[in-house]
Structure formats: structure tokens, C-alpha cells
């Protein structure tokens, strides 16, 4: 079946540190891959996406590369800010008679000043 | 464009009571989703509509949960009767193509 596995949190970093949140997936065929971010008290917001192998999604300094050979889509940012504190969800979307999104469990990030 | 609107933002009910949530998707989005997000977990799809038809309701506890999408626009999700384990955030999302846009959710507490 289709599934997404993320590294467990929470992840605690100091401001300007380098961030990596690991995400691996299991899927048949060629899913699209996404990272969503959820700030406290808010709904999920699309952060970035990649729709085919070797694509790199990027937004707000965050990047993730679709690696088919390792079935991974790790999220990275070179220098985190306090305002990046949130929960990050890795997700895949399969078109199975309608686009169906499968989410990972989420990784909470705390950034200290 | 206006985002996905949900109401209420918060709801507290006693177990065995009923509750309903409302969602207004982004205009023109044919696909509408209801997700349940339990604290510390990722969202779990409850039901997916394409226009006013159900595409996937395989994880909807149909003995107590129901959802409808009249005229292919707004949607309501109902729980009757509620159980303690239904305490969660209920997220509505809509999409036109692939990526979905989410509302802020309704936080339900069952006591």
C-alpha cells in the first residue's frame, strides 16, 4: 500500500541552524510528493511540491528533492528562523479515481532564538 | 482568492451528543475532503467528494459519522452520537487539480 514515514520529533534547533527532516515513502507507480506546514492554531499550508523524479521543490528557503532511487523527499533549510517553528507534514498524492493525499505523522520543529 | 472556510472553530460537547461541522470550499474546486487529525498525528482522510458524489469513504465510521455535499459546493460533516475518541481537529480541504488547500479546522472536544 501507500504510506509515508517521517522522522520523529520534536526537532529543536537554534536560530540559523541547518534543518533536515527526513521523509520516505512507499507507493506503487509515481506519486507526487508534498510538504505541508501547520503553524499553531492554523490549518495546513502547502509549502512545496515535486511531481516527478529528480524534481526539486523550493519555497521560503526550504527545499526537497524527489529521489526515486531512495524513495525519499527530505526537507532542508540552510538557516532556520524562530518563525519556522511549526509542524511539518510530508505527503504523497496518488491519482486513484480521484487525487488522494496520504500524510506522514508530522514532525514538530522548535527554533530557539 | 478566498480560502476554505470552516465553522465553528471550536466545539465542546458531551459524549453521546451530536455535532455538525460546516465547510465552504474554494470557489470552483470540484474535490472536497474531510480529514480527522488527532493530536500528535497526521491528518486521516474520512471522506472525499468529487462534485456532490462520494469518491472515497472507506475510513469513515459510518455507524456514527455522515457527510453530505449538497449541490457540489458546501459540505457538512455530522457525528451522532459522539464518543470520547472523536476528540480531534476536523479539517476540510478542497482542490481543483492535485494539491489541496486546507481550512483552519474545527477543534472538537468530547467530554
Amino acid at each position: 500500500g501507500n504510506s509515508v514515514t517521517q522522522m520523529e520529533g520534536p526537532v529543536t534547533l537554534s536560530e540559523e541552524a541547518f534543518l533536515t527532516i527526513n521523509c520516505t515513502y512507499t507507493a506503487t507507480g509515481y506519486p507526487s510528493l508534498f510538504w505541508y506546514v501547520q503553524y499553531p492554531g492554523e490549518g495546513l499550508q502547502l509549502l512545496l511540491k515535486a511531481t516527478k523524479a529528480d524534481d526539486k521543490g523550493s519555497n521560503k528557503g526550504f527545499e526537497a528533492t524527489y529521489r526515486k532511487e531512495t524513495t525519499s523527499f527530505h526537507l532542508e533549510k540552510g538557516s532556520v528562523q524562530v518563525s519556522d517553528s511549526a509542524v511539518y507534514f510530508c505527503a504523497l498524492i496518488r491519482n486513484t479515481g480521484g487525487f488522494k493525499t496520504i500524510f506522514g505523522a508530522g514532525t514538530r520543529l522548535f527554533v530557539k532564538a | 482568492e478566498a480560502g476554505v472556510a470552516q465553522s465553528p472553530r471550536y466545539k465542546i460537547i458531551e459524549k453521546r451528543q451530536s455535532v455538525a461541522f460546516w465547510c465552504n470550499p474554494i470557489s470552483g474546486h470540484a474535490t472536497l475532503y474531510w480529514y480527522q487529525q488527532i493530536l500528535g498525528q497526521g491528518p486521516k482522510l474520512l471522506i472525499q467528494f468529487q462534485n456532490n458524489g462520494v469518491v472515497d469513504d472507506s475510513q469513515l465510521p459510518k455507524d456514527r459519522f455522515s457527510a453530505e455535499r449538497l449541490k457540489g459546493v458546501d459540505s457538512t460533516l455530522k457525528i451522532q452520537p459522539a464518543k470520547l475518541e472523536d476528540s480531534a481537529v476536523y479539517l476540510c480541504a478542497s482542490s481543483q487539480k492535485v494539491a489541496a488547500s486546507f481550512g483552519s479546522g474545527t477543534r472538537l472536544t468530547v467530554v
Side-chain angles (χ1 to χ4, degrees), chain B residues 16-61:
Chain B
R16 292 188 289 275
Q17 285 188 322
S18 62
V19 64
F21 313 128
W22 174 82
C23 173
N24 181 229
I26 292 174
S27 178
H29 281 194
T31 308
L32 185 146
Y33 313 80
W34 282 102
Y35 287 86
Q36 179 192 59
Q37 186 178 17
I38 293 173
L39 187 65
Q41 299 181 18
K44 182 184 85 172
L45 180 68
L46 292 175
I47 189 167
Q48 178 178 342
F49 292 94
Q50 183 74 17
N51 295 307
N52 60 348
V54 175
V55 173
D56 184 350
D57 63 356
S58 57
Q59 297 198 79
L60 186 75

Side-chain angles (χ1 to χ4, degrees), chain A:
Chain A
N2 302 310
S3 65
V4 176
T5 303
Q6 292 182 233
M7 63 186 288
E8 285 192 27
V11 173
T12 302
L13 296 173
S14 296
E15 208 164 23
E16 298 182 5
F18 184 85
L19 168 71
T20 300
I21 299 178
N22 290 338
C23 170
T24 56
Y25 67 91
T26 302
T28 54
Y30 304 97
S32 295
L33 301 174
F34 296 76
W35 278 99
Y36 281 86
V37 58
Q38 187 173 35
Y39 298 102
E42 298 183 15
L44 278 71
Q45 300 175 25
L46 179 63
L47 181 60
L48 54 83
K49 65 181 180 181
T51 57
K52 61 183 187 296
D54 300 324
D55 267 3
K56 176 185 283 188
S58 61
N59 185 27
K60 300 181 181 178
F62 291 89
E63 292 183 342
T65 301
Y66 190 143
R67 302 286 188 199
K68 187 172 181 296
E69 64 276 12
T70 55
T71 62
S72 64
F73 193 55
H74 305 323
L75 182 69
E76 296 181 336
K77 187 175 186 182
S79 176
V80 293
Q81 306 300 312
V82 173
S83 57
D84 293 326
S85 297
V87 181
Y88 292 82
F89 293 92
C90 186
L92 68 83
I93 293 182
R94 289 297 319 282
N95 187 353
T96 52
F99 293 106
K100 183 173 180 177
T101 307
I102 296 168
F103 288 91
T107 302
R108 183 174 295 278
L109 170 67
F110 290 107
V111 180
K112 303 179 297 183

Side-chain angles (χ1 to χ4, degrees), chain B residues 8-9 15-16 27 39 71 77 86 88 93 99 101:
Chain B
R9 282 301 307 271
K15 60 183 178 183
R16 292 188 289 275
S27 178
L39 187 65
K71 301 180 182 177
L77 176 70
D86 298 332
S101 298

